[in-house]
Amino acid sequence: MSRSPNLRFNSFTDPWNPVELGSLCEINPKSDPIPNEFVYIDLESVESGQLYEINVIRKEDAPSRAQRLLREKDVLFQTVRPYQKNHYIFKDVFDLPVVASTGFAQLRNEKSSEFIYHLLYSSRFEKQVLIRCTGSNYPAINSADLSEIEVFVPSILEQQKIASFFSLLDQKIVKQQEKIEQLELFKKGMLQKIFSQEIRFKDENGQDFPEWETVHLGDLGSFIKSYSFSRNMEGEGEYQHIHYGDIHSKFSGIILSQTEIPSLIIDSDSSYTLLEDGDVIFADASEDTSDLGKSVVLLEVDNRKIIGGLHTLCFRPDNRLDSLFLHFFTQTDEYRKFIKANANGVSVYGLSKPALSSLEIPLPDIKEQIKISSFLYNLSRKIELLKRKKMELEEMKRGFMSQMFV
């Protein structure tokens, strides 16, 4: 039974016809023998359609999965954990032959390759794949089942128009990601140069600020009480809490008035120590030391009743320490070394209050701190704006995908 998508380019009116994927393209075609040396693409090499690792290996050192010799425009479909959607269309130019892992299915139809590649990301195709997957830890679909999936296709000319449209969107998303990575790399470099004092700021008269001191964090403010409210306490309530898991992944590092914070269903008559603007909240537990000790800082959060939640250490700096300066120091390599040295536990790591109190802070004059904070804050805001733009492009793509494929 023929169908048509909801959104089409002008002049295309013919219905899309159903066909099994195995009839649209050749799946895992026979190839020449594997060469003695080649570029190897495994499942870890590809993420969201981009090739991030290039591994050159010799045939005698190659894993048994290195079997799919690629031609230009071959499409690779991730058959193991396909919900990750790390598919790839081979258009890169290398000096050596390229071989892919059997963790991918190799799809070949040179005329329709780009259309097929984008089709793999459509929600209908994804659903058809997932219902055919077997296995729990590593769900996978075999080539025979993959070939039987019904897809709807238009004329070659319409395929080409659709493929070009989504390829252009993908290019914009990739360019946006490149901008993010470049600015993040610049920020990381500036963090190290600033906190190692390779770069110094001047005062309003162009004069040098005083020399930096080294002071323990515990001598620059005080810790305030946090509470062990967990996820099952969340709902519509008067109080909001900052949970250690949100510090790991949800918050960008700076919590402003518009930042969404989970509310709690608790006794509104109870009295809790509220967080204030300028308070810095640390995650004191994690299964990964790279998340342990991450911090967020409160700025301009108005009159909201916010408290420290499960597995947090809440610190209130005194007038010698700028909150943002402290927060940005927690993003340096020096701070990460301190966290690794002071992490306790085996499968779940913890950070104690005495250990965090002993953290040595390289402390400039408060006016220089504020200059540093302002510079790094503006950099961080630029990165967040770039990330937001990327998310908008990705959302736009999802919207068009749902309308332009059957």
Side-chain angles (χ1 to χ4, degrees), residues 43-57:
L43 292 176
E44 285 70 40
S45 303
V46 178
E47 183 177 341
S48 300
Q50 297 299 305
L51 185 62
Y52 284 100
E53 286 189 28
I54 299 174
N55 302 304
V56 177
I57 58 176

Side-chain angles (χ1 to χ4, degrees), residues 226-245:
S226 58
Y227 303 87
S228 298
F229 297 122
S230 59
R231 299 290 190 191
N232 59 11
M233 295 290 292
E234 290 179 8
E236 294 298 325
E238 184 178 358
Y239 290 87
Q240 295 175 302
H241 76 142
I242 296 175
H243 186 276
Y244 75 108

Side-chain angles (χ1 to χ4, degrees), residues 162-215:
I162 292 169
S164 296
F165 175 78
F166 283 105
S167 293
L168 181 60
L169 261 181
D170 282 345
Q171 288 171 21
K172 290 183 177 181
I173 292 170
V174 169
K175 289 293 184 186
Q176 197 70 13
Q177 180 61 31
E178 289 174 353
K179 291 178 183 177
I180 293 167
E181 290 172 358
Q182 288 168 2
L183 200 54
E184 285 180 332
L185 188 62
F186 176 71
K187 178 186 170 184
K188 183 177 180 180
M190 292 304 295
L191 277 167
Q192 297 308 126
K193 289 180 179 181
I194 287 171
F195 283 99
S196 67
Q197 300 181 58
E198 182 180 339
I199 291 177
R200 292 289 304 274
F201 288 77
K202 304 284 187 180
D203 66 17
E204 61 272 16
N205 298 315
Q207 302 299 310
D208 292 338
F209 282 107
E211 293 300 311
W212 292 26
E213 303 176 69
T214 300
V215 185

Side-chain angles (χ1 to χ4, degrees), residues 323-334:
S323 301
L324 277 174
F325 180 85
L326 171 60
H327 168 67
F328 288 122
F329 177 66
T330 67
Q331 298 177 10
T332 63
D333 291 342
E334 182 181 350

